[in-house]
Amino acid sequence: MELHAGDATVLVSPVSGGRVASIEVGGDELLVTGAPGDDPLLWGSYPMAPYAGRIRHGRFAWDGRTIRLPVNLEPHAIHGSGFVSAWDVLDEGLDHCELQTALSWSLGGKAHQHLQLTPDALVCVLTVTADSDPMPVTLGWHPWFRKPLSADLRFEQMYAKDDEGIPTGELVAPRPEPWDDCFVRPIAPLVMQVTPLVEVTVSSDCDHWVVYTAPEHATCVEPQSGPPDAVNLGTATVLLPGEMLQRTMTISWRR
């Protein structure tokens, strides 16, 4: 599915986790691209729901029982079910689309996306709605940007991690790169010079950001509504039956 606005073209793949598979601006690709059958963790820009980031050992206690999740990044579960699901296309136009999928875990619920392309931005709105069971939710996005020529990614604090790479809940001063860490409170707009001609800014109403700079070929700037393992830290948003959680990410560019 192709979206067009100005000199921007966005490809959306409903069958590959409802992800944005490509963002081209004036012929310059901004994302690490892939194809159906490639490792779904490693390309495009995909929605994370009903949890974002790692869940320790793929389990958490909820309402008197243990909820078990697929362990897809040993020894933890990561990034929810939406990014490996097929999404139904509810609406499609020249510059927008609307997608929906059921959440594949024992607590039910559904996820909904609205993507709107303008000549200088892609606006992504992600909504999770509970069905008949209350459920703890953390949602977000995982865009894989091509390795930027330069980046200004500054935050006031980051989460300390334990030996398993899981946040402890303690906030500390940011340490030097490379990062695979969760941050809070950006000091300035999050800006990357992704190609010689295209500067990208990522913004969101999410209050947590995971930044992954370790790969040589990519940098990920991931807005999330809570930290990794939020269900075990007690910081996930609890939705009662019929309630919803909605957040927005905007990827904007300047040539």
Side-chain angles (χ1 to χ4, degrees):
M1 178 166 41
E2 289 192 13
L3 309 181
H4 298 276
D7 66 351
T9 300
V10 166
L11 303 182
V12 181
S13 181
V15 299
S16 298
R19 77 188 60 220
V20 173
S22 168
I23 302 174
E24 279 195 7
V25 178
D28 285 347
E29 178 61 59
L30 306 185
L31 300 179
V32 175
T33 57
D38 292 343
D39 189 332
L41 287 170
L42 299 181
W43 63 281
S45 176
Y46 52 81
M48 299 184 288
Y51 50 92
R54 293 169 175 83
I55 304 298
R56 188 186 301 276
H57 300 161
R59 60 179 183 262
F60 63 95
W62 180 249
D63 198 25
R65 56 186 167 137
T66 298
I67 304 297
R68 299 190 181 277
L69 307 167
V71 173
N72 54 349
L73 190 68
E74 288 283 355
H76 309 301
I78 195 168
H79 296 342
S81 67
F83 81 106
V84 292
S85 299
W87 291 62
D88 296 322
V89 179
L90 304 182
D91 186 35
E92 177 184 355
L94 178 66
D95 59 1
H96 69 277
C97 64
E98 191 174 348
L99 311 172
Q100 184 170 287
T101 193
L103 296 171
S104 298
W105 68 338
S106 60
L107 298 177
K110 61 181 179 290
H112 177 278
Q113 293 187 82
H114 186 272
L115 306 179
Q116 177 69 56
L117 181 63
T118 72
D120 57 4
L122 176 65
V123 181
C124 307
V125 181
L126 178 61
T127 307
V128 170
T129 304
D131 288 334
S132 58
D133 289 325
M135 62 186 197
V137 172
T138 308
L139 57 76
W141 294 264
H142 197 304
W144 282 86
F145 293 105
R146 293 174 55 187
K147 198 65 175 182
L149 305 175
S150 61
D152 185 9
L153 306 173
R154 291 176 289 150
F155 301 86
E156 289 186 11
Q157 290 182 299
M158 67 186 294
Y159 280 81
K161 297 189 298 186
D162 61 19
D163 292 341
E164 292 191 299
I166 302 292
T168 64
E170 177 189 7
L171 290 171
V172 297
R175 63 171 178 80
E177 295 186 56
W179 292 325
D180 185 5
D181 294 282
C182 183
F183 298 83
V184 295
R185 295 188 292 277
I187 293 173
L190 303 176
V191 179
M192 295 174 287
Q193 190 73 38
V194 174
T195 77
L197 295 179
V198 183
E199 178 187 87
V200 170
T201 300
V202 186
S203 57
S204 176
D205 56 359
C206 289
D207 53 7
H208 287 70
W209 297 82
V210 170
V211 181
Y212 183 35
T213 64
E216 294 184 357
H217 70 295
T219 287
C220 304
V221 180
E222 310 160 37
Q224 301 183 179
S225 66
D229 206 32
V231 289
N232 287 311
L233 291 173
T235 58
T237 300
V238 176
L239 298 182
L240 299 178
E243 290 185 335
M244 69 180 188
L245 176 64
Q246 183 177 89
R247 292 289 184 270
T248 301
M249 174 187 70
T250 300
I251 299 172
S252 58
W253 47 82
R254 185 176 66 175
R255 290 177 61 81

